[in-house]
Amino acid sequence: MPNVCEDAWIKTKKGVVPKLESRSMSIFLGIVNFFFFGIGTIVAGFIVYDLADVLIGLGQLFIPFVGWLWSIAWGVLMICDKRSGPIEETTSLL
C-alpha cells in the first residue's frame, strides 16, 4: 500500500492535479477552488477516488493564506490542464 502523504507530496511538487473525465466538472471545481479554497480539490479527490488529492485539498483548506494561494494555483491548473487536452467531438444535425 503506497504512502498517501508521500504521494500527496510528490503530486504537489510536480503540480499534478486530479484528472476528471468531464471538462465542465474540471472547470467548475477549478472555479470553486478560487472562492472556497481546498473544497474543489477535495471534491475532485473523492470523484477520482484518490486520497492524496483529498489530503492536498485539506492542506489548502487549513493552511491560512498560503493554502488560499495554493488553492488558486491548483484551480488554474485544473482549468488549464483540462482545456489543453483533446477537444471532445460533438455530433452535428447536418
Side-chain angles (χ1 to χ4, degrees):
M1 185 167 131
N3 186 350
V4 176
C5 293
E6 184 179 337
D7 190 27
W9 176 250
I10 291 169
K11 284 184 170 199
T12 301
K13 286 191 329 186
K14 293 184 177 185
V16 177
V17 295
K19 302 283 187 197
L20 300 171
E21 294 293 321
S22 167
R23 175 183 291 182
S24 58
M25 184 60 77
S26 292
I27 292 171
F28 173 73
L29 291 176
I31 292 171
V32 167
N33 254 6
F34 292 161
F35 300 105
F36 306 105
F37 47 97
I39 302 298
T41 306
I42 293 169
V43 172
F46 280 120
I47 290 173
V48 297
Y49 302 107
D50 193 344
L51 192 56
D53 289 328
V54 174
L55 186 62
I56 290 169
L58 289 172
Q60 293 170 351
L61 183 64
F62 290 117
I63 300 173
F65 190 68
V66 173
W68 177 64
L69 294 175
W70 181 16
S71 181
I72 289 174
W74 226 245
V76 169
L77 286 173
M78 287 172 75
I79 292 169
C80 292
D81 191 47
K82 197 56 172 182
R83 293 191 72 213
S84 65
I87 298 174
E88 298 169 4
E89 292 185 25
T90 57
T91 56
S92 175
L93 296 176
L94 299 176

